[in-house]
């Protein structure tokens, strides 16, 4: 992750950033049937080290890299400008033998006969994934610091843009041989992931532009932050499983906002409260809701957070305690049966967070 900074004068700086990372190892699909993890299993609980995949098949690789810059220039005591740009790409390859429940000989033969599922054999499928994502993001910010009577302001206005291309290729081969969970034998399987049936072959793009305005206002120990944002998003998906290739497109736009208030005591305590709304354009292998046949709606939400921060005077220690609630509508999830996207009506998350650093 190399970087370097150029400062032609005290008011201007340009930082060039780059990063590259490779992850590799066995695939992430090492699941085990729940029944085998219980002491009540007919042959006892399996070992934590039980490996139900295939050493010659399982493989995972991900390469990701990014390059960009951060530019900043101060015009005077009031105005300064910042521009950040980044191009990134991630390529992923997965070849994995995946556990698919206890082996049922009748289901394997496509019948509903009298044979019960095995207590020892685990059914498996061979899965393959080749996917990549590349994106370009650009953010332009103009900051103004000034006062109006007893109030001091830090106003931030900006325009940002992102363009994302993605490609997803998922394969599954149900012809994989079962494996004995208590006495696994490897190397006898002949099913290969990419000899299987593709259930996702899609390309997608997202173009999103946003404008935003934020004002941080200070009066004595009080700090108030008010912000608003508007987004325009164009999303497309080309499904290559269909002949001819189907093309789907959705245009979304939404206003969102945020507001926060805190008070900084001389003792180092700062209680605070904030509220915000969110917007995430539709995405996935399809822009059609598999459960309704209608276009996917953008995921929207609102969040509340209240807490207290404490920094003992004269130290660099920061302690934070907070409680939060986030509610989202139209949350996307992947339906394995259809290889398409479905949406949940509403999801709510409540929690408490403690942090010290």
């Amino acid at each position: 992750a190399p970087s370097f900074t150029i400062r032609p004068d005290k008011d201007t700086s340009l930082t060039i950033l780059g990063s590259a990372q490779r992850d590799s190892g066995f695939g992430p699909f090492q699941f085990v049937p729940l029944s085998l993890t219980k002491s009540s299993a007919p042959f006892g609980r399996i070992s934590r080290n039980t490996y139900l995949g295939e050493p010659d098949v399982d493989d995972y690789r991900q390469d990701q890299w990014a390059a960009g810059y951060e530019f900043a220039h101060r015009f005077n005591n009031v105005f300064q400008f910042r521009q950040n740009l980044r191009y990134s790409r991630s390529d992923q390859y997965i070849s994995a033998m995946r556990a698919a429940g206890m082996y049922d000989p009748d289901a394997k033969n496509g019948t509903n006969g009298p044979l019960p599922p095995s207590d020892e054999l685990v059914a498996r499928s061979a899965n393959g994934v080749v996917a990549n994502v590349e994106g370009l993001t650009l953010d332009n910010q103009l900051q103004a610091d000034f006062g109006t009577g007893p109030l001091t302001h830090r106003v931030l206005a900006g325009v940002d843009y992102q363009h994302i291309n993605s490609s997803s290729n998922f394969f599954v081969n149900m012809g994989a041989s079962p494996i004995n969970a208590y006495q696994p034998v490897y190397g006898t399987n002949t099913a290969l992931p990419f000899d299987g049936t593709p259930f996702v072959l899609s390309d997608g793009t997202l173009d999103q532009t946003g404008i935003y305005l934020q004002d941080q206002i200070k009066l004595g120990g009080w700090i108030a932050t008010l912000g608003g944002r508007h987004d325009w998003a164009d999303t497309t998906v080309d499904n290559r499983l269909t002949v001819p290739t189907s093309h789907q497109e959705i245009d979304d736009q939404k206003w969102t906002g945020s507001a926060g208030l805190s008070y900084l005591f001389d003792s180092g305590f700062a209680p605070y409260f904030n509220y915000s709304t969110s917007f995430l354009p539709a995405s996935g292998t399809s822009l059609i809701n598999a459960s309704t046949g209608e276009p996917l709606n953008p995921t929207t939400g609102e969040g509340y957070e209240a807490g207290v921060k404490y920094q003992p005077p004269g130290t660099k220690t920061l302690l934070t305690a907070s409680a939060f609630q986030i509610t989202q509508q139209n949350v996307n999830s992947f339906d394995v049966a259809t290889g398409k996207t479905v949406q949940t009506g509403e999801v709510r998350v409540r929690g408490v967070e403690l942090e010290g650093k």
Side-chain angles (χ1 to χ4, degrees):
S3 65
F4 66 92
T5 299
I6 302 170
R7 288 190 175 91
D9 57 59
K10 65 182 181 64
D11 294 320
T12 308
S13 67
L14 174 65
T15 300
I16 307 297
L17 300 163
S19 66
Q21 178 174 323
R22 166 167 288 183
D23 299 301
S24 63
F26 281 152
F29 288 159
Q30 280 305 300
F31 308 124
V32 298
L34 176 62
S35 61
L36 296 181
T37 69
K38 299 180 178 180
S39 57
S40 59
F43 294 92
R45 186 201 306 260
I46 62 172
S47 166
R48 294 181 183 272
N49 298 323
T50 300
Y51 172 54
L52 302 178
E54 285 289 339
D56 294 335
V57 175
D58 293 340
D59 187 19
Y60 169 77
R61 297 192 301 272
Q62 178 170 280
D63 293 318
Q64 49 189 336
W65 64 274
Y69 65 80
E70 297 175 352
F71 173 77
H73 177 71
R74 176 178 287 277
F75 297 99
N76 49 45
N77 292 332
V78 176
F79 293 104
Q80 56 181 302
F81 173 77
R82 289 185 292 269
Q83 183 181 78
N84 303 320
L85 180 142
R86 181 180 64 186
Y87 172 81
S88 61
R89 181 180 175 94
S90 175
D91 296 284
Q92 188 177 72
Y93 170 87
I94 297 174
S95 172
M97 199 64 64
R98 174 179 179 172
M102 301 308 295
Y103 179 69
D104 184 344
D106 291 326
K108 187 69 175 179
N109 296 324
T111 65
N112 294 314
L115 297 177
S118 172
D119 293 326
E120 300 176 86
L121 296 179
V122 175
R124 299 186 298 176
S125 63
N127 297 261
V129 176
V130 176
N132 63 72
V133 178
E134 62 176 346
L136 176 69
T137 59
L138 176 66
D139 186 19
N140 299 283
Q141 302 177 354
L142 181 63
Q143 179 178 316
D145 297 275
F146 58 92
T148 56
L151 304 178
T152 60
H153 299 263
R154 172 164 289 180
V155 176
L156 190 67
V159 179
D160 59 27
Y161 168 78
Q162 65 172 337
H163 174 79
I164 298 176
N165 287 324
S166 63
S167 176
S168 303
N169 304 274
F170 297 175
F171 298 81
V172 61
N173 188 338
M174 300 304 295
S177 60
I179 191 169
N180 190 309
Y182 297 91
Q183 295 179 324
V185 176
Y186 308 113
T188 61
N189 180 79
T190 59
L192 297 176
F194 296 100
D195 290 340
T197 303
F199 67 96
V200 173
L201 292 175
S202 68
D203 300 316
T205 63
L206 169 65
D207 286 284
Q208 183 172 349
T209 302
I211 58 173
Y212 56 89
L213 180 66
Q214 176 181 288
D215 189 6
Q216 184 185 79
I217 308 168
K218 293 184 179 181
L219 175 63
W222 291 99
I223 304 175
T225 304
L226 302 172
R229 177 183 175 93
H230 189 79
D231 282 276
W232 295 266
D234 298 325
T235 310
T236 65
V237 170
D238 292 317
N239 184 356
R240 292 181 279 110
L241 281 178
T242 62
V243 179
T245 298
S246 67
H247 179 79
Q248 302 166 0
E249 185 171 346
I250 292 182
D251 296 334
D252 292 310
Q253 57 176 306
K254 182 73 174 179
W255 282 101
T256 53
S258 62
L261 182 66
S262 65
Y263 186 84
L264 180 59
F265 290 93
D266 294 336
S267 60
F269 282 97
Y272 69 92
F273 172 82
N274 61 56
Y275 168 80
S276 61
T277 58
S278 64
F279 162 78
L280 183 66
S283 63
T285 57
S286 170
L287 296 182
I288 303 299
N289 190 336
S291 62
T292 65
E294 299 294 324
L296 291 173
N297 294 312
T299 298
T300 57
E302 62 178 3
Y304 302 85
E305 182 181 2
V308 60
K309 300 180 180 181
Y310 176 57
Q311 184 171 18
T315 74
K316 294 183 178 180
T317 299
L318 180 62
L319 306 174
T320 304
S322 62
F324 62 87
Q325 174 177 299
I326 300 171
T327 306
Q328 290 183 301
Q329 297 81 31
N330 303 316
V331 176
N332 292 349
S333 60
F334 184 71
D335 183 5
V336 177
T338 63
K340 297 181 180 180
T341 303
V342 296
Q343 289 190 309
T344 305
E346 187 169 273
V347 173
R348 185 180 67 193
V349 178
R350 290 173 173 170
V352 173
E353 183 172 279
L354 304 176
E355 181 179 0
K357 59 183 178 181

